[in-house]
């Protein structure tokens, strides 16, 4: 076996072989199953793309109709899941609520038959169908309202916006939201997908796989960045404040949210498409002054950090689009999860097809053969004796 050097964050270290998606970070190219993201954004619905990611090829019309039909049928939540959600604190983050709900599905659908294609299909359908309903239900419940039931006559994206905002969305808004889901559906072996794959490799159930991925996506260096972008634009407040804000960040060596990527060294192709979508929305529903701040920030970051390959990533413009669609800021990451479930499930299925449990190695940096010091003789790192009562009450 070849011994590799240690790379923090596993940068550049291949951890799997996959035919699901491909990123060329130097040229700003993203493909799902070989198809460029701009083509999918233009021609494919999110469910069509999900089918492509999970089953490896675009569905025929009949296959798509059947898949959509199954998903419509499974959108509702069991009343016990709704009852469980009623007990969640209103102040809790919706990502935590979503993680708990995804994990709870394992309690309600506990049969595990990873060898059975029908079981795989049912889990895929259930997760794609129910996650949007859970996100919308938590939003209404935390405001003290009953959740809105899904509507069978609405397609996937229109139905989510309907359940969330309690009114049928404008067709342009629903179409744009569907494109957003398409753009976020998959992105090679990012942190949450890796988390999903590690969990999948233990042959646990798919609900645990998705729950672990949701928990990973929640962090500010990953899916949580889109929320932070809006907070940053609010803090900047005006176009004139952009340069002083940026200079202060550079001086303090703090990261500018929505910029930079481990793989892309040019503008993320999804950010380009999202910016076009934001402009379409502003044309129809009125311009947002945060957009002007964002455009100026992009211009200045490119001038000052472009040489390091720091450009807008997917999270930079997505928040502006979501805000215009009436999605509250703390639901941006759950919305990202609604889309990424497709990618996680594709990797879950791929992992099962050639599984070996993940068990990497480590470079041990500790000491060896250390003495066992009796409790009463131990000292803290500062040289103070450990208080014996404290040790006794916390065995
Ligand atoms: N603002 C300013 N400088 C940056 C930024 C940024 N957003 N991102 C990277 N850099 C600089 C960094 O300071 C470092 O400079 P130097 O070499 O002089 O020390 C260099 O670029 C490399 O940065 P890194 O942190 O080592 O890069 P990484 O590959 O470990 O991190 C990242 C990638 C996405 C975590 C990072 O760019 C970042 O924290 N960005 C802000 C948060 C963000 O927008 N996250 C969303 C990521 S995309 C979608 C997703 O994954 O969910």
């Amino acid at each position: 076996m070849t011994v590799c050097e240690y790379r923090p964050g596993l940068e550049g270290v291949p951890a799997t072989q996959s035919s699901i998606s491909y990123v060329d970070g130097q040229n700003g190219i993203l493909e799902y199953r070989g198809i460029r993201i701009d083509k999918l954004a233009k021609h494919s619905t999110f469910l069509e793309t999900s089918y492509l990611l999970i089953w490896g090829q675009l569905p025929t019309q009949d296959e798509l109709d059947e898949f959509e039909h199954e998903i419509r049928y499974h959108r509702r939540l069991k009343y016990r899941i709704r009852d469980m959600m009623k007990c969640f604190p209103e102040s809790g983050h919706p990502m935590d609520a979503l993680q708990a709900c995804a994990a709870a599905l394992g309690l309600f659908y506990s049969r595990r038959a990873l060898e059975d294609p029908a079981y795989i299909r049912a889990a895929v359908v259930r997760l794609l169908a129910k996650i949007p309903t859970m996100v919308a239900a938590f939003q209404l419940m935390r405001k003290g309202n009953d959740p809105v039931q899904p509507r069978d006559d609405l397609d996937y994206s229109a139905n989510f916006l309907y359940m969330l905002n309690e009114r049928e969305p404008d067709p342009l808004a629903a179409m744009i939201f569907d494109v957003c889901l398409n753009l976020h559906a998959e992105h090679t072996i990012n942190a949450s997908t890796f988390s999903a794959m590690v969990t999948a490799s233990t042959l646990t159930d798919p609900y645990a796989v998705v729950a672990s991925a949701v928990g990973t996506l929640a962090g500010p260096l990953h899916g949580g960045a889109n929320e932070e972008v809006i907070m940053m634009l609010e803090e900047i407040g005006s176009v004139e404040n952009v340069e002083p804000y940026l200079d202060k960040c550079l001086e303090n060596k703090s990261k500018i949210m929505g910029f930079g990527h481990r793989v892309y060294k040019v503008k993320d192709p999804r950010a380009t498409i999202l910016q076009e979508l934001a402009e379409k929305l502003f044309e129809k529903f009125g311009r947002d002054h945060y957009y002007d701040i964002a455009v100026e920030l992009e211009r200045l970051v490119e001038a000052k950090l472009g040489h390091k390959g720091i450009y807008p990533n997917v999270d930079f413009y997505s928040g502006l689009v979501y805000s215009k669609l009436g999605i509250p800021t703390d639901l941006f990451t759950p919305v990202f999860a609604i889309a990424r479930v497709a990618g996680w499930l594709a990797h879950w299925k791929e992992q099962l097809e050639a599984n070996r449990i993940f068990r990497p190695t480590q470079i041990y940096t500790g000491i060896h053969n250390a003495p066992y010091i009796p409790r009463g003789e131990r000292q803290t790192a500062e040289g103070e004796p450990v208080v014996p009562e404290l040790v006794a009450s916390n065995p």
Side-chain angles (χ1 to χ4, degrees):
M1 197 177 89
T2 329
V3 178
C4 310
E5 64 173 307
Y6 164 58
R7 302 250 188 123
L10 297 184
E11 182 170 3
V13 178
T16 192
Q17 292 187 322
S18 177
S19 61
I20 299 170
S21 65
Y22 169 79
V23 174
D24 173 349
Q26 298 301 330
N27 295 303
I29 293 170
L30 168 61
E31 292 172 343
Y32 295 168
R33 300 283 186 187
I35 305 175
R36 292 267 173 111
I37 191 66
D38 51 320
K39 282 196 192 138
L40 290 166
K42 203 162 165 194
H43 302 296
S44 180
T45 65
F46 169 66
L47 287 186
E48 220 173 331
T49 298
S50 302
Y51 191 103
L52 168 75
L53 289 167
I54 298 164
W55 280 285
Q57 57 192 37
L58 286 167
T60 62
Q61 188 62 56
D62 284 351
E63 285 168 337
L64 182 61
D65 290 347
E66 197 184 336
F67 188 48
E68 283 180 351
H69 175 77
E70 284 173 56
I71 286 175
R72 264 172 225 261
Y73 185 77
H74 285 279
R75 281 173 182 167
R76 280 163 196 267
L77 301 179
K78 285 184 186 290
Y79 81 87
R80 284 176 172 218
I81 293 185
R82 296 202 303 267
D83 282 355
M84 175 192 82
M85 293 175 75
K86 279 186 196 149
C87 302
F88 291 174
E90 313 86 77
S91 57
H93 196 284
M95 274 304 264
D96 294 328
L98 182 58
Q99 190 183 23
C101 288
L105 286 176
L107 286 165
F108 291 93
Y109 306 98
S110 56
R111 185 180 84 98
R112 186 185 304 150
L114 300 176
E115 306 286 320
D116 178 358
Y119 173 84
I120 304 275
R121 170 101 177 188
V124 164
V125 165
R126 205 172 275 136
L127 279 156
L128 281 167
K130 294 190 191 307
I131 293 254
T133 314
M134 289 168 163
V135 173
F138 182 69
Q139 168 63 6
L140 294 194
M141 283 175 169
R142 69 177 169 168
K143 292 195 289 184
N145 298 329
D146 280 332
V148 169
Q149 290 298 331
R151 252 179 54 186
D152 288 350
D153 59 320
L154 294 177
D155 68 21
Y156 193 82
S157 290
N159 175 60
F160 172 70
L161 293 175
Y162 162 74
M163 291 188 298
L164 188 70
N165 296 322
E166 300 179 83
R167 60 171 186 278
E168 218 176 293
D170 178 276
L172 177 75
M175 185 277 281
I176 286 183
F177 183 70
D178 201 68
V179 178
C180 290
L181 295 184
N182 246 324
L183 297 178
H184 286 83
E186 159 64 6
H187 207 244
T188 72
I189 190 169
N190 54 82
S192 57
T193 300
F194 188 38
S195 177
M197 287 161 58
V198 172
T199 310
S201 80
T202 69
L203 302 183
T204 185
D205 70 69
Y207 311 106
V209 169
V210 169
S212 72
V214 170
T216 309
L217 185 70
L221 295 187
H222 192 11
N226 51 16
E227 252 186 66
E228 310 259 341
V229 169
I230 293 295
M231 289 186 237
M232 174 183 71
L233 296 176
E234 283 169 358
E235 194 187 332
I236 296 174
S238 71
V239 172
E240 299 72 55
N241 287 345
V242 172
E243 188 151 22
Y245 176 90
L246 177 59
D247 289 342
K248 204 165 146 216
C249 287
L250 296 179
E251 202 182 302
N252 298 339
K253 296 200 179 311
S254 51
K255 295 264 175 72
I256 300 117
M257 287 294 136
F259 285 87
H261 199 277
R262 176 63 63 82
V263 185
Y264 292 115
K265 298 304 161 204
V266 292
K267 186 167 176 176
D268 185 327
R270 299 166 299 172
T272 307
I273 301 171
L274 282 162
Q275 187 173 8
E276 287 163 14
L277 297 180
E279 283 178 1
K280 270 193 193 148
L281 276 175
F282 297 145
E283 228 169 76
K284 180 150 186 187
F285 301 109
R287 202 175 168 88
D288 190 327
H289 94 285
Y290 290 128
Y291 182 62
D292 299 322
I293 300 175
V295 170
E296 177 64 358
L297 185 58
E298 178 180 351
R299 188 183 73 76
L300 288 170
V301 170
E302 185 177 340
K304 296 178 192 235
L305 292 173
H307 65 281
K308 280 195 194 177
I310 310 293
Y311 288 90
N313 59 47
V314 68
D315 289 320
F316 190 56
Y317 288 108
S318 64
L320 288 167
V321 173
Y322 294 154
S323 293
K324 207 67 194 169
L325 294 175
I327 299 172
T329 309
D330 65 357
L331 286 195
F332 293 174
T333 319
V335 163
F336 190 158
I338 291 175
R340 190 51 64 84
V341 164
W344 295 330
L345 291 170
H347 284 272
W348 167 59
K349 194 165 162 291
E350 189 176 66
Q351 184 65 37
L352 294 182
E353 282 157 9
N355 190 52
R356 189 157 189 228
I357 190 168
F358 277 97
R359 201 340 178 160
T361 189
Q362 62 165 20
I363 296 166
Y364 177 65
T365 59
I367 56 173
H368 291 285
N369 206 11
Y372 182 83
I373 303 168
R375 284 188 194 172
E377 294 169 25
R378 292 174 203 166
Q379 300 209 321
T380 64
E382 289 76 38
E384 300 293 325
V386 176
V387 183
E389 292 85 345
L390 198 66
V391 174
S393 62
N394 290 300

